[in-house]
Amino acid sequence: MKRSVCLFCSAKEGLPAAAQRLAAEFGEACAARGLRLVYGGSGRGLMGVAARAAVAAGGEVLGIMPRHLMRPEHAAADLGTLVIVETLAERKEKMAEASDLFVAIPGGIGTLNELIEMLTLNDLGLQAKPVILCATDGFWEPFTTLIERFQSYGVLRPSIAQFLRSATSVEDTMRLVETLLPAARPAQSRGV
């Protein structure tokens, strides 16, 4: 069965070149390993960059887009399969159901909301799916500092360490993916 990795990231245009490269490399790396890329369905920003890179490299892409965001986020019906849902809550639910693991690269409040939701589901025992924070420029350092503060204060269960990992490159992220999802190995026979 094909493994699926959900990407949380920004749909905002004009983000730093390093973040755009990271998104493109991530999309390509998913395709190379035969991983289906699940994402928010936008053709804009880092979402669009990652999905286009995955499709260009022969990968499978599943976008999940709330109806009210179709125009403002430029729903990407040409990038794999696009599923339209009614609410942001339904989008997160469908993304969680469709994915084996979550990766967050730079994004805003929406990305943070999705990330927190997946960590909360893990914390409550409603799922057991790893979350990886990936950035080449220290983007997630304030968040990891906050998590460390929560841990030292005693408001987090120890299981957070089991599910939350950090990486500073796509290569490091894919090593974690391969460790956490053993079936996710580079697709040798397809030449991707």
Side-chain angles (χ1 to χ4, degrees):
M1 180 174 158
K2 182 169 275 218
R3 298 294 197 144
S4 296
V5 174
C6 183
L7 178 65
F8 299 136
C9 61
S10 181
K12 188 172 184 313
E13 297 287 0
L15 293 180
Q20 293 183 47
R21 279 192 304 275
L22 182 69
E25 289 174 17
F26 185 80
E28 292 168 1
C30 284
R33 286 163 177 78
L35 296 165
R36 179 177 67 165
L37 175 66
V38 177
Y39 82 117
S42 177
R44 298 184 59 211
L46 301 183
M47 281 195 208
V49 169
R52 278 190 292 282
V55 168
E60 184 180 341
V61 174
L62 171 63
I64 303 173
M65 171 71 72
R67 189 174 307 282
H68 70 278
L69 291 178
M70 288 180 68
R71 285 184 45 188
E73 287 198 1
H74 301 271
D78 60 333
L79 297 175
T81 302
L82 181 65
V83 174
I84 305 302
V85 296
E86 296 305 318
T87 66
L88 286 168
E90 189 180 358
R91 175 199 242 178
K92 288 184 288 189
E93 181 181 337
K94 296 284 186 201
M95 290 171 114
E97 289 172 0
S99 304
D100 299 299
L101 180 143
F102 309 95
V103 173
I105 63 173
I109 296 297
T111 300
L112 188 58
N113 174 268
E114 292 162 337
L115 169 64
I116 295 291
E117 175 101 8
M118 296 312 120
L119 290 172
T120 301
L121 292 174
N122 284 335
D123 190 48
L124 296 175
L126 299 174
Q127 70 178 16
K129 298 179 180 182
V131 176
I132 303 170
L133 306 174
C134 177
T136 57
D137 59 1
F139 181 85
W140 290 112
E141 287 175 12
F143 181 78
T144 56
T145 298
L146 180 63
I147 292 295
E148 289 166 4
R149 175 68 175 134
F150 284 179
Q151 286 176 309
S152 68
Y153 202 83
V155 295
L156 290 182
R157 291 181 181 93
S159 65
I160 191 81
Q162 177 186 351
F163 294 108
L164 182 61
R165 307 291 169 84
S166 293
T168 57
S169 69
V170 170
E171 185 178 319
D172 290 344
T173 300
M174 286 300 154
R175 273 197 289 271
L176 285 170
V177 169
E178 290 168 4
T179 299
L180 298 166
L181 300 178
R185 300 278 187 249
Q188 306 286 337
S189 61
R190 289 192 275 161
V192 257

